[in-house]
Amino acid sequence: MLTLLRDLRRLRHSVALPRPDRGRSLALRHVDAGSCNGCEHELTLASTPYYDLQRFGLGIVASPRHADVLLVTGPVTTRMREPLLTAFQAMPEPRLVAALGDCALGCGVLGVPDALVGPVDTVIPVDLRIPGCPPTPETIATALLALVDRRRSGDWQELASREGDGRD
Amino acid sequence: MAVGPIHAGVIESGHFRFHVVGDRILHLDARLFYKHRGLERAAEGSTLAEGARYVGRACAACAVANGLAYAHACEECLGLEPTSELARARALLLELERIWSHLNDIAAVCAGVGLAAGNNLFAALTERARRLNARITGHRFLFGAVAVGGSSLDLDAQAVGAAREELEAIGREASRGWRELQFSASFQDRLPDIGVVGSEDVERLGTVGPAARAAGVALDVRTISTRLAYDGFECRLPERAAGDVRARLEQRALELEQSLEIARALLDEPVRPAPAAPGAVESPVGVGLVESARGATLCVVERDGDRLRRVRLRTGSYANWPSVAYAATDNLLPDFPLINKSFELCYACADR
């Protein structure tokens, strides 16, 4: 088993991501609002040896109460509107919302109008858009790392500290 | 105890209601359809060719299986028969999907036990398999690779050679990892005798796919598939077909090996674009049946000229959800994630 682990460590060198010297972290919470499961599969792989997002301080947390960023996938079905709002409202401020994948952005969505609410930004404000059907783990990693940079430069604080702006 | 629709990990949305005494599950009430997008209704009125988009996007993990079931149903309507070249290209796509899917499922069971090394190894292989998909068809999930009335897959001698080599490498790494898993006692201890769906249960519940075969029921659409190139296909069953988590995991490993063999054999010659051949009897209703990584997937198409009047997709996941609820009964709550992962059903496939 240890041999396997050592071999796996080599894989991350085959991907051109910057060195992990960022010094800040982001806790991510994912909500599936009706995706086809593609975005989830790719997001899962962003934490595997090729990309290994944890080394940049990017981890998926179990509850929105521990999260800085809400990653939302899917075209927001009528049945997922309430749970999505509940998760968003449970997050501590400052908080950010990232719409992950074309469905969440409202591009090329398939379905009937009475089963869908509309893109994520019709339900909660979206700060980061990650396009793709589905976005590759590399796209997801790059977009989230840019967000870490914005946080470090103070830009993030400005973005996410809009308290009492009716976002609930 | 209520769980979901939002789960702790990166999982699809669905609500589970556990009736428990202490840690023991008395009954599981799985409430799905949080992800219902109305894809079948949305597809009504579109042309048969356009309909493939709706069915293909129902689920990323079964895009090829669902797409093929739909394409076969439409071709039955239109009186088209697949040529041997088309049957070969499509069987290849289906096996590529099964390969990444089974790798992902083995990784998921390792994650369910908390065995990070196994999870990472098989997840890394899943990534490799998806990169191979992208090289072959231009999409990591093979989206858009299946169309009604033909295939545009075009691989020259060099491309099939490279794909064969990559599949061989994936197979080598997977069997090395699988061997390591056999020697991980803390992993193996968790697997036997939980989440049992026996052969009688399979018949009663209509369980399909690897879950049925892990109970010793040799049920596989590939053995009766006339529209795909599966000549001489035979089911492989595990020696210990007990229908528990361990048997389902072993079944996946067996199928992974077999799928790699089939895919390599299908890649022996260059793959050329091929249309389906006309000549069969046209009909207003068509049925397509395909073995997805989760079991038999059925698609029924009713047409009105060249437009869709109705389409219904019954996926392997949809058929197997009652078996998950049944398997959970009388087990311990902490074992449920493992039982769930051993079936690894798609919510999107069931909710549509």
Side-chain angles (χ1 to χ4, degrees), chain B residues 199-210:
Chain B
S199 54
E200 280 176 24
D201 306 322
V202 165
E203 278 173 32
R204 203 160 48 82
L205 295 163
T207 312
V208 294

Side-chain angles (χ1 to χ4, degrees), chain B residues 131-143 145 153:
Chain B
R131 287 182 182 186
L132 176 65
N133 290 348
R135 276 205 297 283
I136 289 181
T137 68
H139 197 283
R140 285 163 61 89
F141 290 87
L142 309 164
F143 280 178
L153 189 65

Side-chain angles (χ1 to χ4, degrees), chain A residues 29 32 42 51 77 79, chain B residues 7 13 35 127 130 140:
Chain A
R29 174 83 287 261
D32 164 13
E42 294 294 54
Y51 309 97
T77 58
R79 290 152 181 87
Chain B
H7 299 279
S13 294
K35 303 181 56 154
E127 170 73 23
R130 271 196 219 145
R140 285 163 61 89

Side-chain angles (χ1 to χ4, degrees), chain A residues 120-152:
Chain A
V120 176
D121 60 10
T122 59
V123 183
I124 48 177
V126 172
D127 304 288
L128 178 68
R129 288 156 207 276
I130 309 176
C133 182
T136 60
E138 209 157 346
T139 311
I140 298 172
T142 311
L144 291 174
L145 290 177
L147 197 62
V148 178
D149 287 344
R150 273 165 76 185
R151 182 180 206 183
R152 210 155 64 139

